[in-house]
Amino acid sequence: MLAIQKRRGGDKMKNREVLLEARGLKKYFMVKKKLFSKQKSFVKAVDDISFQVYKGETVGIVGESGCGKSTTGRLLIRLLDATEGEVFYKGQNILNLPSEAMRNLRKELQIVFQDPYSSLNPRMTVGQIIAEPLINFGICEKEERNQKVNELLEVVGLAPYHKNRYPHEFSGGQRQRIGIARALAVNPQIIIADEPVSALDVSIQSQILNLLRRLQKQFQLTYIFISHDLNVVYHFCDRIIVMYLGRVVEISTKEALYKDPLHPYTQALLSAVPTTDQKQKKERIVLSGDVPSPANPPKGCAFHPRCFACMEICKEVRPELKEMSNGSFVACHLYND
């Protein structure tokens, strides 16, 4: 049975179906300090994170480069093996599934990568690229496959004659459309969009975002949208997860997050977002120091060496993610009882 949980947000109370859930998810990459040393160290790319994704919504994951956004996305669909933790899809822990069962489940869990060129095989035509998942999963017979490819190309704004061309013959925006068509070919439930517009021109970004929004309504999709662009995330996502150094520091609806950010890191991020509205301009919060190494994260709160509101407890005790009265979640000692 699928988990149904009550979600609070402002004055509204809604029962939402939890489609995907991460619990205590960790990913450590092993490295060696010295060439001939037996002592090993670990880069803590994702360090004990938990959150839920509701059916039909768009969840944004934001943070500085190296905070673990893309690694989290790959862990959620098992493109990377987790060091520890659980990922539940429709109530089933997919990290425990055998290879064959996971292969069958991949039809429902797809990803669109950041670089549309490197994610497409340059030796295959567009028609072959889109048809490949149809063949691998035996979704339709050969006679239907050509028609299915034509339909997918039209759905993403391309023409059927494009199927005979190669990826290098297309622009960046067109190649991203091809990647989206390939993901749609297997009728997924969830699509991980890993920085899908960051490599595109601003005018093309809006076209791809509008396409993704239209496809979400048409195919009842659920998105996990990974980005560093807070303006894009605000206009595209329903809820936002803020990460810092492999940890989740805040989860909130976009309205609550932008109106009243709770965590000092979130406040600093939002203060740097440019705006032309003089009424919405905020005082810039400049963080001191550099981002610590994930191979040697600070004790206690990972953000405390750069935090303008740091207390003694922040240096010793790691804050837990706790729910606030408005339905937001924050990991900060400022909000301890």
Side-chain angles (χ1 to χ4, degrees):
M1 180 179 293
L2 301 184
I4 305 293
Q5 295 198 1
K6 187 173 291 185
R7 176 186 172 189
R8 295 197 293 270
D11 298 328
K12 297 181 180 180
M13 300 288 288
K14 294 183 180 180
N15 288 329
R16 302 293 299 274
E17 179 182 316
V18 178
L19 189 60
L20 186 74
E21 181 177 6
R23 297 181 188 173
L25 199 58
K26 297 181 181 181
K27 180 59 181 179
Y28 297 170
F29 294 97
M30 184 178 66
V31 294
K32 289 187 177 180
K33 290 185 176 180
K34 296 181 181 179
L35 183 62
F36 299 105
S37 173
K38 293 183 179 180
Q39 186 178 5
K40 299 175 182 178
S41 62
F42 295 88
V43 172
K44 298 181 178 180
V46 175
D47 191 13
D48 193 8
I49 65 173
S50 301
F51 59 86
Q52 297 174 331
V53 178
Y54 300 96
K55 185 174 182 179
E57 74 169 346
T58 301
V59 174
I61 303 180
V62 300
E64 295 173 290
S65 296
C67 72
K69 304 186 300 294
S70 295
T71 302
T72 298
R74 285 160 172 75
L75 289 173
L76 293 175
I77 57 175
R78 235 177 99 174
L79 288 184
L80 289 174
D81 291 327
T83 303
E84 191 177 317
E86 300 170 308
V87 176
F88 289 90
Y89 173 67
K90 293 184 176 179
Q92 183 180 31
N93 186 4
I94 65 173
L95 301 188
N96 292 336
L97 291 178
S99 299
E100 186 61 29
M102 188 62 212
R103 182 182 183 277
N104 294 330
L105 193 62
R106 290 198 184 280
K107 291 185 291 185
E108 301 185 32
L109 306 169
Q110 289 292 302
I111 186 169
V112 175
F113 294 97
Q114 177 179 358
D115 185 353
Y117 188 70
S118 63
S119 65
L120 303 176
N121 191 332
R123 298 185 178 182
M124 297 173 67
T125 65
V126 167
Q128 292 171 330
I129 289 171
I130 299 176
E132 186 177 28
L134 299 174
I135 297 171
N136 290 342
F137 291 104
I139 292 177
C140 56
E141 299 296 330
K142 185 176 180 180
E143 295 75 16
E144 303 175 24
R145 199 176 302 141
N146 189 55
Q147 181 181 354
K148 179 74 172 176
V149 170
N150 291 342
E151 291 174 355
L152 287 166
L153 285 170
E154 290 178 341
V155 162
V156 299
L158 297 175
Y161 65 81
H162 285 136
K163 66 184 178 184
N164 297 317
R165 297 182 181 179
Y166 290 86
H168 73 271
E169 300 179 70
F170 295 89
S171 67
Q174 289 175 320
R175 286 196 288 262
Q176 197 61 284
R177 291 174 187 268
I178 295 167
I180 294 170
R182 178 178 59 184
L184 287 175
V186 290
N187 300 316
Q189 294 289 311
I190 295 179
I191 291 182
I192 310 285
D194 186 6
E195 301 269 13
V197 297
S198 63
L200 307 177
D201 293 337
V202 175
S203 60
I204 306 301
Q205 287 183 10
S206 61
Q207 295 178 20
I208 297 300
L209 292 174
N210 290 335
L211 170 64
L212 290 171
R213 182 63 73 197
R214 176 172 61 81
L215 294 174
Q216 184 176 36
K217 295 178 180 178
Q218 185 175 350
F219 297 102
Q220 291 80 52
L221 297 170
T222 301
Y223 289 142
I224 298 174
F225 189 83
I226 300 168
S227 179
H228 65 274
D229 191 326
L230 290 170
N231 278 326
V232 169
V233 169
Y234 176 74
H235 288 96
F236 189 71
C237 299
D238 303 312
R239 287 191 304 134
I240 300 173
I241 298 170
V242 183
M243 291 187 64
Y244 181 81
L245 209 65
R247 303 177 182 180
V248 172
V249 298
E250 188 167 353
I251 304 174
S252 185
T253 64
K254 65 178 182 181
E255 292 84 4
L257 190 82
Y258 278 73
K259 183 179 180 180
D260 185 25
L262 300 176
H263 198 280
Y265 176 63
T266 311
Q267 295 170 11
L269 284 181
L270 292 177
S271 74
V273 176
T275 177
T276 57
D277 190 346
Q278 294 294 329
K279 296 180 180 179
Q280 294 184 356
K281 282 191 174 181
K282 300 178 180 179
E283 183 180 352
R284 178 69 187 273
I285 300 173
V286 180
L287 299 177
S288 61
D290 297 322
V291 180
S293 169
N296 186 27
K299 185 179 179 181
C301 176
F303 185 60
H304 87 257
R306 307 174 70 196
C307 183
F308 53 86
C310 178
M311 303 177 292
E312 287 303 315
I313 190 175
C314 304
K315 302 176 183 179
E316 300 295 331
V317 181
R318 176 174 176 174
E320 299 293 330
L321 195 67
K322 61 179 293 186
E323 186 173 7
M324 307 302 290
S325 59
N326 64 349
S328 299
F329 293 80
V330 64
C332 183
H333 290 298
L334 290 173
Y335 303 94
N336 288 347
D337 295 332

